PDB file of all heavy atoms in Angstrom:
ATOM      1  N   MET A 615     122.340  86.935  79.099  1.00 67.00           N
ATOM      2  CA  MET A 615     123.266  87.282  80.165  1.00 67.00           C
ATOM      3  C   MET A 615     122.868  88.685  80.678  1.00 67.00           C
ATOM      4  O   MET A 615     122.805  88.952  81.863  1.00 67.00           O
ATOM      5  CB  MET A 615     124.681  87.322  79.620  1.00 67.00           C
ATOM      6  CG  MET A 615     125.768  87.644  80.706  1.00 67.00           C
ATOM      7  SD  MET A 615     127.423  87.589  80.083  1.00 67.00           S
ATOM      8  CE  MET A 615     127.503  89.190  79.293  1.00 67.00           C
ATOM      9  N   ILE A 616     122.593  89.613  79.779  1.00 66.00           N
ATOM     10  CA  ILE A 616     122.228  90.968  80.124  1.00 66.00           C
ATOM     11  C   ILE A 616     120.871  90.990  80.829  1.00 66.00           C
ATOM     12  O   ILE A 616     120.688  91.721  81.833  1.00 66.00           O
ATOM     13  CB  ILE A 616     122.241  91.895  78.939  1.00 66.00           C
ATOM     14  CG1 ILE A 616     123.718  92.159  78.466  1.00 66.00           C
ATOM     15  CG2 ILE A 616     121.548  93.252  79.156  1.00 66.00           C
ATOM     16  CD1 ILE A 616     123.850  92.822  77.154  1.00 66.00           C
ATOM     17  N   LEU A 617     119.892  90.159  80.361  1.00 67.00           N
ATOM     18  CA  LEU A 617     118.618  90.186  80.984  1.00 67.00           C
ATOM     19  C   LEU A 617     118.617  89.628  82.398  1.00 67.00           C
ATOM     20  O   LEU A 617     117.807  89.980  83.213  1.00 67.00           O
ATOM     21  CB  LEU A 617     117.647  89.283  80.099  1.00 67.00           C
ATOM     22  CG  LEU A 617     117.219  89.857  78.807  1.00 67.00           C
ATOM     23  CD1 LEU A 617     116.326  88.837  78.047  1.00 67.00           C
ATOM     24  CD2 LEU A 617     116.376  91.145  79.035  1.00 67.00           C
ATOM     25  N   ASN A 618     119.673  88.780  82.667  1.00 66.00           N
ATOM     26  CA  ASN A 618     119.782  88.215  84.015  1.00 66.00           C
ATOM     27  C   ASN A 618     120.689  88.991  84.983  1.00 66.00           C
ATOM     28  O   ASN A 618     120.878  88.589  86.054  1.00 66.00           O
ATOM     29  CB  ASN A 618     120.215  86.761  83.945  1.00 66.00           C
ATOM     30  CG  ASN A 618     119.210  85.901  83.307  1.00 66.00           C
ATOM     31  OD1 ASN A 618     118.029  85.960  83.590  1.00 66.00           O
ATOM     32  ND2 ASN A 618     119.570  84.996  82.437  1.00 66.00           N
ATOM     33  N   MET A 619     121.204  90.100  84.530  1.00 68.00           N
ATOM     34  CA  MET A 619     122.081  90.897  85.360  1.00 68.00           C
ATOM     35  C   MET A 619     121.234  91.676  86.351  1.00 68.00           C
ATOM     36  O   MET A 619     120.109  92.101  86.094  1.00 68.00           O
ATOM     37  CB  MET A 619     122.868  91.931  84.509  1.00 68.00           C
ATOM     38  CG  MET A 619     123.936  91.375  83.717  1.00 68.00           C
ATOM     39  SD  MET A 619     124.760  92.711  82.811  1.00 68.00           S
ATOM     40  CE  MET A 619     126.318  91.909  82.484  1.00 68.00           C
ATOM     41  N   THR A 620     121.833  91.979  87.501  1.00 80.00           N
ATOM     42  CA  THR A 620     121.277  92.814  88.524  1.00 80.00           C
ATOM     43  C   THR A 620     121.464  94.312  87.978  1.00 80.00           C
ATOM     44  O   THR A 620     122.303  94.547  87.045  1.00 80.00           O
ATOM     45  CB  THR A 620     121.996  92.729  89.830  1.00 80.00           C
ATOM     46  OG1 THR A 620     123.335  93.155  89.745  1.00 80.00           O
ATOM     47  CG2 THR A 620     121.916  91.298  90.434  1.00 80.00           C
ATOM     48  N   GLN A 621     120.784  95.234  88.571  1.00 81.00           N
ATOM     49  CA  GLN A 621     120.932  96.639  88.152  1.00 81.00           C
ATOM     50  C   GLN A 621     122.354  97.070  88.415  1.00 81.00           C
ATOM     51  O   GLN A 621     122.891  97.832  87.578  1.00 81.00           O
ATOM     52  CB  GLN A 621     119.964  97.483  88.913  1.00 81.00           C
ATOM     53  CG  GLN A 621     118.513  97.395  88.470  1.00 81.00           C
ATOM     54  CD  GLN A 621     117.621  98.342  89.197  1.00 81.00           C
ATOM     55  OE1 GLN A 621     117.781  98.605  90.390  1.00 81.00           O
ATOM     56  NE2 GLN A 621     116.596  98.871  88.472  1.00 81.00           N
ATOM     57  N   GLN A 622     122.980  96.631  89.468  1.00 85.00           N
ATOM     58  CA  GLN A 622     124.293  97.015  89.809  1.00 85.00           C
ATOM     59  C   GLN A 622     125.260  96.455  88.818  1.00 85.00           C
ATOM     60  O   GLN A 622     126.179  97.164  88.317  1.00 85.00           O
ATOM     61  CB  GLN A 622     124.637  96.466  91.198  1.00 85.00           C
ATOM     62  CG  GLN A 622     125.858  97.106  91.863  1.00 85.00           C
ATOM     63  CD  GLN A 622     125.918  96.805  93.263  1.00 85.00           C
ATOM     64  OE1 GLN A 622     124.995  96.420  93.955  1.00 85.00           O
ATOM     65  NE2 GLN A 622     127.100  96.952  93.856  1.00 85.00           N
ATOM     66  N   GLU A 623     125.062  95.228  88.404  1.00 85.00           N
ATOM     67  CA  GLU A 623     125.964  94.627  87.352  1.00 85.00           C
ATOM     68  C   GLU A 623     125.811  95.369  85.985  1.00 85.00           C
ATOM     69  O   GLU A 623     126.783  95.581  85.343  1.00 85.00           O
ATOM     70  CB  GLU A 623     125.630  93.118  87.232  1.00 85.00           C
ATOM     71  CG  GLU A 623     126.044  92.290  88.369  1.00 85.00           C
ATOM     72  CD  GLU A 623     125.532  90.891  88.229  1.00 85.00           C
ATOM     73  OE1 GLU A 623     124.432  90.642  87.710  1.00 85.00           O
ATOM     74  OE2 GLU A 623     126.212  89.919  88.829  1.00 85.00           O
ATOM     75  N   LEU A 624     124.594  95.666  85.679  1.00 86.00           N
ATOM     76  CA  LEU A 624     124.341  96.385  84.432  1.00 86.00           C
ATOM     77  C   LEU A 624     124.974  97.730  84.430  1.00 86.00           C
ATOM     78  O   LEU A 624     125.589  98.203  83.449  1.00 86.00           O
ATOM     79  CB  LEU A 624     122.844  96.515  84.158  1.00 86.00           C
ATOM     80  CG  LEU A 624     122.453  97.161  82.847  1.00 86.00           C
ATOM     81  CD1 LEU A 624     123.028  96.406  81.648  1.00 86.00           C
ATOM     82  CD2 LEU A 624     120.863  97.138  82.699  1.00 86.00           C
ATOM     83  N   LEU A 625     124.845  98.432  85.574  1.00 88.00           N
ATOM     84  CA  LEU A 625     125.499  99.756  85.683  1.00 88.00           C
ATOM     85  C   LEU A 625     127.014  99.700  85.470  1.00 88.00           C
ATOM     86  O   LEU A 625     127.593 100.517  84.771  1.00 88.00           O
ATOM     87  CB  LEU A 625     125.166 100.362  87.097  1.00 88.00           C
ATOM     88  CG  LEU A 625     125.713 101.745  87.359  1.00 88.00           C
ATOM     89  CD1 LEU A 625     125.178 102.759  86.390  1.00 88.00           C
ATOM     90  CD2 LEU A 625     125.419 102.147  88.815  1.00 88.00           C
TER      91      LEU A 625
END
Side-chain angles (χ1 to χ4, degrees):
M615 185 179 79
I616 289 171
L617 289 174
N618 291 318
M619 287 181 159
T620 65
Q621 285 183 326
Q622 196 166 343
E623 290 170 330
L624 184 57
L625 181 63

